[in-house]
Amino acid sequence: MAILAGMWFQQMHPVWQQALSGQEALLNRLEQSLSQLPNLAPRPQLVMAAFAADPSKVRVVIVGQDPYPTPGVAVGRSFAVSGLPVPASLRNMFKELASELAIEPTDVTTALDLHGWQAQGVLLLNRHLTTLEGQAGAHFKEGWQAFTDAAIAHLLAANPLTVLVLWGNQAQQLKKTLAQAISDAGERAMLIEGVHPSPLSAHRGFLGSKPFGTINAALQSVGQEPINWLL
């Protein structure tokens, strides 16, 4: 599906547009280069879905790697999907959540598109916003990291109490690229690192790490409401 030039920038919430105006040329270049690819994941109209909400409401940022490469699965929010079947990474997240809450995985009622998390101020952000169907990591060198790093830097500057969750090597590179922003946040910076929930690494430290309770504990430590992960 073709989209109009500059549409990705326009699809962002107005507050995001203002905050990332300096990245507009980069985003337009990425759109021009990638949006017409017939095998782009997610679909062009979903690429900026994570930026549709007001950034001033963001309390938690969960950073992933890049979209699911399976056709029709990615929805523009990290780890979220359009429907069944549930990819292994999200399945492991729900398994860990069920373990933390002492319930059965089948009792996790969270919508697969994770819109309930976004509505509570959780930004689900891949470091690279696109890939190609059947090719994980296809766009690591396209320049997305400069755009998403700028977005996270803005959030940390606007609210140093933002909980920043880095799962996997691609996300954890942010410690270096955003070292100044994290330093500026000072002791108020809340950084949570962990293993990626993918099937290749989940059993090496993600499962059993209790990330959801850790996030809520960080929020409550500064007087904020915890996230209801079952919404």
Side-chain angles (χ1 to χ4, degrees):
M1 176 181 176
I3 60 177
L4 299 175
M7 184 63 74
W8 283 355
F9 187 80
Q10 294 301 320
Q11 286 174 343
M12 295 194 299
H13 188 280
V15 177
W16 270 127
Q17 291 179 29
Q18 182 177 8
L20 296 179
S21 60
Q23 303 299 316
E24 184 175 4
L26 170 60
L27 185 59
N28 288 344
R29 179 185 65 77
L30 289 165
E31 179 186 332
Q32 184 177 29
S33 173
L34 303 174
S35 65
Q36 303 305 317
L37 296 175
N39 56 342
L40 188 71
R43 298 191 307 275
Q45 62 269 34
L46 296 177
V47 168
M48 303 306 296
F51 291 89
D54 186 346
S56 66
K57 306 297 184 183
V58 171
R59 302 187 288 143
V60 178
V61 185
I62 297 179
V63 185
Q65 181 170 286
D66 66 337
Y68 297 113
T70 305
V73 170
V75 296
R77 291 186 290 276
S78 62
F79 303 106
V81 298
S82 57
L84 296 173
V86 181
S89 293
L90 184 57
R91 190 163 61 246
N92 285 332
M93 290 167 61
F94 287 169
K95 181 178 180 180
E96 176 62 18
L97 178 59
S99 175
E100 288 193 49
L101 298 177
I103 61 177
E104 294 297 323
T106 52
D107 292 332
V108 174
T109 55
T110 308
L112 298 180
D113 66 2
L114 306 182
H115 70 269
W117 295 5
Q118 180 173 336
Q120 297 178 79
V122 179
L123 176 63
L124 297 154
L125 185 64
N126 280 313
R127 193 147 189 252
H128 311 274
L129 298 188
T130 62
T131 192
L132 297 177
E133 293 177 353
Q135 298 182 47
H139 292 162
F140 280 7
K141 297 182 179 180
E142 292 292 336
W144 276 120
Q145 69 274 14
F147 180 82
T148 54
D149 288 5
I152 297 171
H154 163 74
L155 292 172
L156 292 177
N159 178 13
L161 299 180
T162 300
V163 180
L164 183 58
V165 183
L166 308 178
W167 285 343
N169 292 335
Q170 282 290 323
Q172 288 167 14
Q173 289 176 6
L174 286 164
K175 289 188 301 178
K176 180 178 180 180
T177 60
L178 293 181
Q180 187 60 55
I182 294 172
S183 175
D184 290 345
E187 294 181 357
R188 297 177 295 175
M190 294 186 286
L191 182 64
I192 297 173
E193 298 179 68
V195 174
H196 195 280
S198 77
L200 296 175
S201 56
H203 291 280
R204 300 174 187 170
F206 179 80
L207 295 175
S209 63
K210 303 185 184 303
F212 302 102
T214 301
I215 292 169
N216 278 346
L219 291 171
Q220 291 175 301
S221 72
V222 292
Q224 296 190 47
E225 290 293 320
I227 303 297
N228 182 347
W229 300 108
L230 293 178
L231 290 181

